Amino acid sequence: MRILLVEDSADIADAIETRFRRDGHSVTVAAEGHDGEAYAISGEFDVMVLDINLPGQDGFAILRAVRASGVPTPVLVVTARNQVADKVSLLDLGADDYLVKPFDLAELSARVRALARRGKGLAAPQIEIGGLRIDSGGRTAWRGTEPLDLGRREFDLLELLAADAPNTVNKDLIVLKLFGLEDSGTPNAVELLVSRLRRKLDGTGVEIQTRRGAGYLLRPCSG
């Protein structure tokens, strides 16, 4: 995997680069915003890991420029900011995932792998897991030949979980992706949404599992 890392802290960049190279990936490091943007717009990378606070140009500007140029490279943002508004702005600008510093390198590595898999699947909008088929383009899901009756947010949740299956999707990310800053977008609202979707997935051969303190994952039914 070819990874672009845009991070101005030498210590953090070295730790991340060492982890990625140990995992067998090719890593290009940019410590300054304008350099990071130039590399990113080239479109030569499978995944971009982007810091927000950078010299020359911040991560918001880089992300905006990358998406405006039409480059579809998945972007994972690492940031010291933990404000909901900042997270929503990043997702609205085209970020695919985020981690708040400090973070575990193993989690960063797992999320980057998930983004790379998702990026490779962009050309094929259909996902099949067990007896479940999801058509992202048509926003429909099928149990065999029978269409599932899903609401808008139920389909959005299913698509989000399926894109990263069988990895766990962070609950906070689900809240932001599905609800943004709406008052209804509470963790309890997500739990109710998951409960409704679970019932509608009966007989599909897949299930939603809860990982306490982490989030949810979609996987084939066991047994």
Side-chain angles (χ1 to χ4, degrees):
M1 189 193 311
R2 298 162 301 173
I3 300 173
L4 172 61
L5 171 61
V6 188
E7 169 63 66
D8 66 317
S9 168
D11 290 342
I12 294 176
D14 182 65
I16 295 174
E17 181 182 10
T18 298
R19 172 65 191 230
F20 284 153
R21 291 193 183 280
R22 192 177 72 192
D23 290 342
H25 306 309
S26 170
V27 185
T28 298
V29 180
E32 195 270 343
H34 291 292
D35 291 340
E37 180 182 327
Y39 279 122
I41 290 178
S42 73
E44 297 177 357
F45 298 91
D46 298 306
V47 177
M48 178 180 181
V49 178
L50 175 65
D51 188 24
I52 289 299
N53 296 316
L54 296 163
Q57 184 161 243
D58 67 17
F60 287 98
I62 294 173
L63 187 55
R64 189 178 296 110
V66 168
R67 293 311 185 219
S69 70
V71 173
T73 304
V75 177
L76 186 149
V77 172
V78 292
T79 175
R81 309 177 189 220
N82 199 24
Q83 296 297 314
V84 171
D86 285 333
K87 297 174 185 175
V88 171
S89 295
L90 290 167
L91 293 172
D92 284 344
L93 284 173
D96 297 275
D97 200 355
Y98 66 87
L99 276 176
V100 176
K101 297 178 180 178
F103 51 80
D104 184 83
L105 289 176
E107 181 178 5
L108 173 64
S109 183
R111 292 200 185 195
V112 165
R113 291 195 301 271
L115 286 183
R117 287 194 298 270
R118 189 188 308 172
K120 290 176 182 177
L122 287 176
Q126 291 204 1
I127 302 172
E128 293 190 17
I129 305 174
L132 176 68
R133 177 166 55 90
I134 302 166
D135 180 359
S136 296
R139 292 185 59 80
T140 55
W142 303 75
R143 181 196 296 112
T145 59
E146 176 190 357
L148 297 180
D149 181 17
L150 300 179
R152 176 176 62 86
R153 284 202 172 115
E154 290 170 346
F155 181 83
D156 289 343
L157 174 60
L158 178 61
E159 184 180 41
L160 185 60
L161 294 174
D164 276 350
N167 297 294
T168 300
V169 179
N170 182 274
K171 192 172 184 178
D172 288 341
L173 181 63
I174 293 174
V175 172
L176 291 175
K177 287 272 192 179
L178 270 58
F179 296 95
L181 288 174
E182 295 179 21
D183 291 339
S184 59
T186 64
N188 286 340
V190 172
E191 290 172 8
L192 290 173
L193 188 60
V194 168
S195 179
R196 292 204 308 268
L197 183 57
R198 276 191 175 122
R199 290 195 296 271
K200 293 185 178 183
L201 291 178
D202 281 349
T204 63
V206 300
E207 61 184 357
I208 300 173
Q209 288 195 341
T210 301
R211 291 292 171 88
R212 297 293 180 188
Y216 302 94
L217 63 89
L218 188 71
R219 59 173 292 172
C221 295
S222 56

